[in-house]
Amino acid sequence: MTPPLAPDPAVLRGLRLFSGLDAAALAEIVRSAHTRRIEKGTTIFAQGDPAALCHALIDGRVKIVQTGADGQQVVVRYIGAGEMFGTAAVFSGGIYPADALAMVDCVGVHWSAATMGELMERYPRIALNALDVVGRRLQEVQTRLRELSTERVERRVAHALLRLARQAGRRVGSGVEIDFPLSRQDIAEMTGTTLHTVSRILSGWEGQGIVEGGRQQVTIRQPHALVAIAEDLPKPTQA
């Protein structure tokens, strides 16, 4: 039988929800958590399910996907190691507004809503941090809505790639590789457009040397040029 996972309390230090807590508090929070291995392709929670658990990702990559009434899917966010997810819905006592899908094999921890409530009473700092977490996520949503409603599709795609590079970028040679599988369909679902449109845009950028694409892989070769597109600035001149 596989022994139960027992993460080091230090792994919680990078989680914004537990910022400012001492080692003894982090050790207690870990003891109250449930840890599990999650296979690639697993639905961790489903859109419309009661929000019963607060999740944190210790290792791996999770995709948050929302499906509209017409069946169209939108990628809301990618979650990396050291990030919480599903927490805002728990704090509001509602339902999960999207699916959480494991993109690769992952290790995650979770706390029940009741346990998290008890921890907040014992450590009020968690409640203050929760307000910060929810506020930041709301700001992200407002930014995405503004992009979808006011920006040309090329700018939306550029903003999406730059966001992903900040979250999961890895320097390779003369560029920045987005360090997880990313299809053109994923990018279309992030930016509210079609696969055909994303393919046309990326092919054009590849021809200009701005990005380089592979099998579910994107590398940004000219970050400054992509920023210029995102911000609708003049294209930087070559040195």
Side-chain angles (χ1 to χ4, degrees):
M1 180 181 295
T2 303
L5 297 174
D8 187 327
V11 303
L12 300 185
R13 290 190 184 279
L15 296 176
R16 194 177 298 278
L17 189 64
F18 304 123
S19 175
L21 297 177
D22 61 24
L26 293 176
E28 180 180 354
I29 292 166
V30 163
R31 287 194 297 271
S32 66
H34 296 274
T35 308
R36 66 167 177 150
R37 293 182 175 89
I38 305 165
E39 292 186 359
K40 177 182 177 180
T42 299
T43 299
I44 300 167
F45 55 74
Q47 181 173 331
D49 284 352
L53 300 173
C54 294
H55 295 267
L57 192 62
I58 302 303
D59 185 53
R61 183 73 55 180
V62 169
K63 179 167 64 173
I64 308 298
V65 183
Q66 191 172 61
T67 304
D70 59 357
Q72 183 174 352
Q73 292 189 324
V74 175
V75 176
V76 178
R77 183 179 174 84
Y78 288 94
I79 303 296
E83 291 189 82
M84 304 285 297
F85 59 105
T87 51
V90 172
F91 296 150
S92 65
I95 60 174
Y96 293 120
D99 296 335
L101 307 172
M103 300 179 65
V104 297
D105 291 341
C106 301
V107 177
V109 297
H110 64 259
W111 297 262
S112 70
T115 297
M116 186 57 70
E118 292 170 1
L119 290 171
M120 285 182 170
E121 289 182 1
R122 194 168 301 133
Y123 304 107
R125 179 74 191 190
I126 298 176
L128 293 174
N129 291 340
L131 291 174
D132 180 58
V133 169
V134 172
R136 287 171 182 269
R137 292 291 169 87
L138 179 59
Q139 190 173 42
E140 288 178 13
V141 170
Q142 290 173 333
T143 298
R144 292 280 299 278
L145 287 174
R146 176 181 54 76
E147 290 174 3
L148 287 170
S149 61
T150 65
E151 294 184 356
R152 301 189 324 273
V153 66
E154 290 85 357
R155 293 185 64 192
R156 301 203 303 266
V157 173
H159 273 300
L161 293 181
L162 290 168
R163 260 194 302 271
L164 294 177
R166 286 193 295 270
Q167 292 174 9
R170 182 171 65 93
R171 289 205 169 273
V172 289
S174 61
V176 179
E177 179 184 82
I178 296 172
D179 194 22
F180 61 87
L182 182 69
S183 70
R184 292 186 174 190
Q185 182 62 44
D186 290 331
I187 298 170
E189 291 173 0
M190 287 187 71
T191 54
T193 188
T194 65
L195 173 60
H196 173 77
T197 299
V198 168
S199 295
R200 174 180 56 78
I201 290 170
L202 291 184
S203 294
W205 291 349
E206 287 172 2
Q208 298 172 57
I210 297 173
V211 302
E212 179 181 321
R215 181 173 173 78
Q216 294 200 338
Q217 206 70 48
V218 176
T219 301
I220 300 172
R221 292 298 181 193
Q222 297 181 33
H224 294 300
L226 201 59
V227 169
I229 293 169
E231 302 301 330
D232 206 17
L233 301 173
K235 184 178 178 181
T237 57
Q238 298 293 328

